[in-house]
Amino acid sequence: MSEPESLRCSSARNRGGVQRVEGKLRASVEKGDYYEAHQMYRTLFFRYMSQAKHAEARELMYNGALLFFSYNQQNSAADLSMLVLEVLEKSETKVEDEILENLAKLFSMMDQNSPERVAFVSRALKWSTGGSGKLGHPKLHQLLAVTLWKEQNYSESRYHFLHSSDGEGCAQMLVEYSASRGFRSEVDMFVAQAVLQFLCLKNKNSASVVFSTYTEKHPSIEKGPPFVQPLLNFIWFLLLAVDGGKLTVFTVLCEQYQPSLKRDPMYNEYLDRIGQLFFGVPPKQSPSYGGLLGNLLNSLMGSGEEDDGAEEAQEDSSPIELD
């Protein structure tokens, strides 16, 4: 028997073994023997891990978690979900779309208010970027954002959309967020904040897409540009200025629209950062140690990253909160 044939036979045997074990465990769960089944899953997990059967361990824990979720056994399901992450971490598994989708599915089935859900998503995002200190894989952020959007947790959804590359999805969520939770007078502020924050993350493409999609689809915004709302005109001009990169245009634009920019004290903070990233404005000097340290880190980490796009920009030590 050739080596490839041997590997296929071995894989088939392993798969058959996993299926037989899963059948017994499912029977225990269906009988209501949740504790016994949970402990057996854990025993098998450590056995597979000791034998370096990482793929089998991950598959067994994932399917076990789904099974426990289907019987509303949240604690057992959450525990097996964490073991899925443990396999990924210890086996140094490479990021694949299917794995990210599986993690997002586990997240979607967890109790929305459970502390385990917070721990799970934090650990999953860390794994998705190899523990490098970045803020997580854009695809995983996008999947999490969609789940939270369905749960009408718009604030958390917006955070994850910001760290994805899905400007269109973000805009559609913001339209719903504005229509259901915002005042009519604030329709322009919902998208302005998102555009400015995307630009602070050096994600020009998503900033443009979220603006064009939001202004096109929002029922309370008349077709533009130009727009009735001055703040929307400012954002439109800003996106054009970012493409041009001329500091004088940026400076005049910010001066002319100060009445609109004063509606939110954070706007000028965001624009200071955007000025540094796109128009060569030097960081503001601050008398405090923290400010000097922040400026130093920005000067070290905030340059020479254009080719790496939004993901690399997420490592910048900006003092601006994007929540």
Side-chain angles (χ1 to χ4, degrees), residues 140-178:
L140 182 54
H141 275 296
Q142 190 266 343
L143 293 168
L144 296 172
V146 170
T147 294
L148 291 160
W149 176 12
K150 290 177 181 177
E151 296 172 0
Q152 297 186 336
N153 188 343
Y154 299 115
S155 179
E156 289 293 321
S157 175
R158 190 174 65 82
Y159 169 81
H160 289 290
F161 269 125
L162 277 172
H163 296 290
S164 75
S165 300
D166 186 6
E168 183 173 356
C170 183
Q172 292 173 342
M173 182 277 296
L174 288 173
V175 169
E176 184 179 308
Y177 189 10
S178 167

Side-chain angles (χ1 to χ4, degrees), residues 170-192 210-224 227 229 232:
C170 183
Q172 292 173 342
M173 182 277 296
L174 288 173
V175 169
E176 184 179 308
Y177 189 10
S178 167
S180 62
R181 304 279 175 87
F183 295 105
R184 186 180 178 89
S185 60
E186 296 175 341
V187 293
D188 50 351
M189 298 181 75
F190 277 81
V191 72
V210 76
F211 180 73
S212 60
T213 305
Y214 182 92
T215 53
E216 178 185 330
K217 294 184 177 295
H218 201 294
S220 297
I221 295 177
E222 295 182 20
K223 187 176 180 62
F227 300 96
Q229 299 88 344
L232 293 181

Side-chain angles (χ1 to χ4, degrees), residues 46-57:
F46 291 112
R47 182 182 300 171
Y48 280 146
M49 292 297 285
S50 68
Q51 298 170 354
K53 294 182 177 179
H54 299 132
E56 291 86 351

Side-chain angles (χ1 to χ4, degrees), residues 29 33-39 41-42 45 57-86 102-112 114-121 123:
V29 172
D33 296 333
Y34 303 126
Y35 177 79
E36 180 182 335
H38 183 192
Q39 294 308 308
Y41 270 109
R42 290 185 62 86
F45 171 79
R58 188 177 82 235
E59 180 182 358
L60 187 63
M61 295 306 105
Y62 175 70
N63 290 333
L66 296 182
L67 179 62
F68 277 120
F69 277 129
S70 71
Y71 282 84
N72 199 31
Q73 296 299 303
Q74 282 284 331
N75 290 338
S76 295
D79 181 59
L80 298 193
S81 298
M82 297 301 279
L83 292 180
V84 171
L85 290 175
E86 188 170 327
N102 288 346
L103 294 179
K105 184 171 184 178
L106 294 175
F107 172 81
S108 72
M109 299 180 79
M110 289 182 179
D111 186 309
Q112 296 176 23
S114 69
E116 290 83 6
R117 196 188 209 200
V118 176
F120 177 82
V121 73
R123 196 167 163 185

